[in-house]
Amino acid sequence: MENEKYLFVVSGPSGVGKDTVISFLRGAHPEIGKTVSATTRAPREGEAEGVNYFYRTEDEFRRMLERDEIVESNYYSGHYYGTLRSEVDRLLAQNTPVVLNIDIHGAANIKRLYPGATTIFLLPPSWEVLESRLRGRGSNETAEEIQKRLDTAREELSHAGEFDGQVVNHVVEDCAAELYGIMARRAGLAEEH
Ligand code: 5GP
């Protein structure tokens, strides 16, 4: 699909600062579209169907997965979460740039379903920086739990070369600007000055 050039996946190891970079990017560029995910968890107070999430039963969620109606998903704290293909398609059909913040495994699935999507891997400035961020996260964790997190991050980092682009997160603002530059060139958006 021609409009796949508007689809971007941002991935990277945990601790690299993905959420911070993406929320900065969205703040600077409110025109970037946000997809509403599906989940099997119950709505929290104040949440509404189709606004925060689309709330589905596990059976419904599984059926949607089988039909490729969910383009990436995760199991978290006893519930399923996933990005709906219909949401991505709705935004792409309007020529709205879409940024999906997903783990490295989900990124491969997006590429399978949307070969024209651009996948970007966020890298830490160095292994030492990532390690200290990960060690600093959970103060009441055992050495074993911390080691497991470091091993996962190392494994995740080894996939960087499989992505279309890599951006180093030295400074959030610069990293977000570099990301936007990639998006602007690929999708023909207005460049920043
Ligand atoms: P919450 O239940 O607090 O709204 O979300 C729990 C977790 O699920 C968060 O870490 C959130 O980022 C993640 N999450 C929400 N939607 C999706 C999704 O569509 N796909 C994936 N992989 N994770 C999601």
Side-chain angles (χ1 to χ4, degrees), residues 34-38 48-54 82-84 86-88 90-91:
K34 206 167 167 38
T35 55
V36 179
S37 294
E49 167 78 10
V51 177
N52 305 88
Y53 286 104
F54 293 98
T83 306
L84 291 167
S86 56
E87 282 286 290
V88 175
R90 174 177 66 80
L91 293 167

Side-chain angles (χ1 to χ4, degrees), residues 75-89:
Y75 189 71
Y76 177 87
S77 252
H79 301 289
Y80 292 96
Y81 293 84
T83 306
L84 291 167
R85 187 171 196 153
S86 56
E87 282 286 290
V88 175
D89 290 348

Side-chain angles (χ1 to χ4, degrees), residues 10-149:
V10 177
S11 205
S14 61
V16 80
K18 250 182 319 172
D19 292 350
T20 313
V21 169
I22 292 174
S23 60
F24 190 89
L25 176 72
R26 287 189 191 285
H29 299 280
E31 72 278 13
I32 296 172
K34 206 167 167 38
T35 55
V36 179
S37 294
T39 182
T40 59
R41 79 155 166 77
R44 294 188 189 127
E45 204 173 316
E47 289 188 348
E49 167 78 10
V51 177
N52 305 88
Y53 286 104
F54 293 98
Y55 303 91
R56 296 293 178 262
T57 65
E58 284 204 15
D59 272 353
E60 287 168 338
F61 197 95
R62 255 184 243 115
R63 272 198 296 275
M64 291 195 296
L65 271 177
E66 281 163 17
R67 294 191 212 115
D68 266 347
E69 289 170 15
I70 290 177
V71 295
E72 66 80 33
S73 67
N74 209 347
Y75 189 71
Y76 177 87
S77 252
H79 301 289
Y80 292 96
Y81 293 84
T83 306
L84 291 167
R85 187 171 196 153
S86 56
E87 282 286 290
V88 175
D89 290 348
R90 174 177 66 80
L91 293 167
L92 295 185
Q94 301 165 358
N95 297 349
T96 301
V98 181
V99 175
L100 301 177
N101 170 3
I102 55 186
D103 68 33
I104 56 163
H105 306 290
N109 206 38
I110 300 288
K111 230 12 200 190
R112 176 176 72 84
L113 296 168
Y114 298 95
T118 305
T119 58
I120 301 160
F121 194 92
L122 291 195
L123 287 164
S126 66
W127 169 254
E128 286 70 27
V129 170
L130 186 66
E131 182 172 358
S132 78
R133 282 188 197 157
L134 288 170
R135 283 189 189 279
R137 267 192 173 179
S139 45
N140 45 14
E141 280 184 327
T142 64
E144 210 174 298
E145 282 165 337
I146 291 173
Q147 190 54 49
K148 201 170 153 214
R149 218 146 42 144

